[in-house]
Amino acid sequence: MAGKGNGERYFEVSADMASHARAFGPGRFDFASEGEAGGQLVRCTAGELELFGHAGEWIIPADHMVYIPPSRMFRLRARLPSAGVVAKFCGREVAWQHNGCWVGAVSGFAGSMTDYALRWNAEVAGRDRKARCFFVTLGEMLPDWFRHERILWTPYAENSSIQKVIDFASRRGPGVTLPEVADHAGMSERTLRRHLQAELGQSWREFIREMRMNRAMELLRKEGRSITETAFEVGFSSSSAFSSAFFGYVGKTPSVYAKSFSRNGRLFVG
């Protein structure tokens, strides 16, 4: 394992540790790992984190969290001053098995649970039997907290032709069409659909839905766009259709999501 910068010890998990939690930041850091001995739940409370793995990259803004499984190669970076909490599972408390790292919004309950975890740091946790019970319970919560898969994810492809498709679609934005992408990649639409499914495990419709939703989240989070403006920019013909799709993907309505990033808590719908 190789760590970098002032985040070097924040995300280390060794076999002799007891499960515990610690706060990190505020500050910038860049941490790289070939895989830690235990899984970890990383919650961003301020700023924005970037996570890189073999399957793609993720953005973890404030009020979001990610679960990184054990033995998973990753790089976690804060280019902006950022802060948060990391809960480290060192005793196989997490039975949930899944592919990759998932990002989710932090509910009120999840926020309370991760805050409560801070009562057990690395020194205290090994001497307190309650700590083991708490981290088992916390681990049981993960499947429910991350039931909305792959949000804020940009995939990587092993096939160079499909990576070319991803890069082209990212540059063109969520309005890109299947014929455009197929023509750029030099393959038929049917072949492109087949390769996407084989490489990313996604249909074209799922790929574009993720691109639309991730762009919408960025517009609401960083640019303060109205719901109507966002809906039209990412390819929806009405704000109601957009709101329904956004809720199904993120688990929050666009207005609730945007208000969590608004300094004055106000958002214009029109």
Side-chain angles (χ1 to χ4, degrees):
M1 186 211 45
K4 302 179 184 177
N6 61 354
E8 184 171 357
R9 299 191 61 83
Y10 289 150
F11 310 103
E12 288 182 350
V13 181
S14 61
D16 60 347
M17 287 180 175
S19 296
H20 66 281
R22 65 171 297 175
F24 61 87
R28 297 179 175 88
F29 59 81
D30 193 344
F31 178 87
S33 173
E34 294 297 321
E36 297 299 314
Q40 45 197 316
L41 177 66
V42 181
R43 171 190 167 198
C44 182
T45 58
E48 184 174 276
L49 307 179
E50 297 171 301
L51 175 67
F52 305 88
H54 77 279
E57 58 190 73
W58 295 258
I59 295 295
I60 304 107
D63 295 321
H64 285 69
M65 57 188 175
V66 62
Y67 177 67
I68 305 172
S71 306
R72 180 81 56 174
M73 182 180 69
F74 70 93
R75 179 184 179 191
L76 192 62
R77 179 173 69 185
R79 289 194 293 179
L80 304 173
S82 302
V85 176
V86 55
K88 302 181 182 183
F89 299 94
C90 308
R92 300 185 182 276
E93 295 91 347
V94 181
W96 181 43
Q97 300 293 325
H98 66 94
N99 293 320
C101 303
W102 286 14
V103 174
V106 178
S107 66
F109 180 60
S112 296
M113 288 287 283
T114 49
D115 285 342
Y116 195 77
L118 288 170
R119 69 183 299 170
W120 292 290
N121 60 30
E123 292 73 28
V124 173
R127 303 191 302 267
D128 190 341
R129 288 182 299 175
K130 293 179 182 178
R132 168 68 177 173
C133 296
F134 176 83
F135 282 94
V136 168
T137 302
L138 186 63
E140 291 291 332
M141 303 291 178
L142 299 186
D144 185 57
W145 290 349
F146 294 101
R147 63 185 181 274
H148 298 280
E149 62 178 299
R150 287 177 168 168
I151 68 171
L152 298 167
W153 177 58
T154 301
Y156 296 156
E158 294 184 5
N159 183 303
S160 60
S161 296
I162 297 303
Q163 188 60 53
K164 184 178 178 182
V165 165
I166 295 170
D167 294 341
F168 177 74
S170 297
R171 290 194 302 270
R172 291 281 292 164
V176 70
T177 65
L178 178 62
E180 283 181 290
V181 176
D183 182 66
H184 178 78
M187 61 181 74
S188 69
E189 294 178 23
R190 181 178 180 181
T191 299
L192 174 57
R193 290 179 187 272
R194 188 173 67 251
H195 282 315
L196 276 175
Q197 189 67 53
E199 182 76 17
L200 304 180
Q202 293 179 301
S203 66
W204 168 256
R205 183 176 181 179
E206 290 168 336
F207 175 75
I208 288 299
R209 182 194 67 161
E210 289 190 2
M211 180 176 291
R212 286 179 170 183
M213 292 297 103
N214 290 335
R215 176 57 178 158
M217 294 169 79
E218 183 179 19
L219 291 173
L220 294 170
R221 184 175 74 249
K222 291 186 175 181
E223 299 185 21
R225 298 288 188 91
S226 73
I227 294 172
T228 301
E229 287 176 324
T230 301
F232 290 151
E233 178 151 341
V234 300
F236 286 84
S237 59
S238 72
S239 58
S240 59
F242 166 67
S243 295
S244 177
F246 190 92
F247 182 82
Y249 185 71
V250 180
K252 292 183 177 182
T253 64
S255 59
V256 169
Y257 181 82
K259 284 176 182 176
S260 67
F261 296 96
S262 174
R263 290 182 179 179
N264 57 16
R266 297 165 66 184
L267 178 73
F268 296 102
V269 177

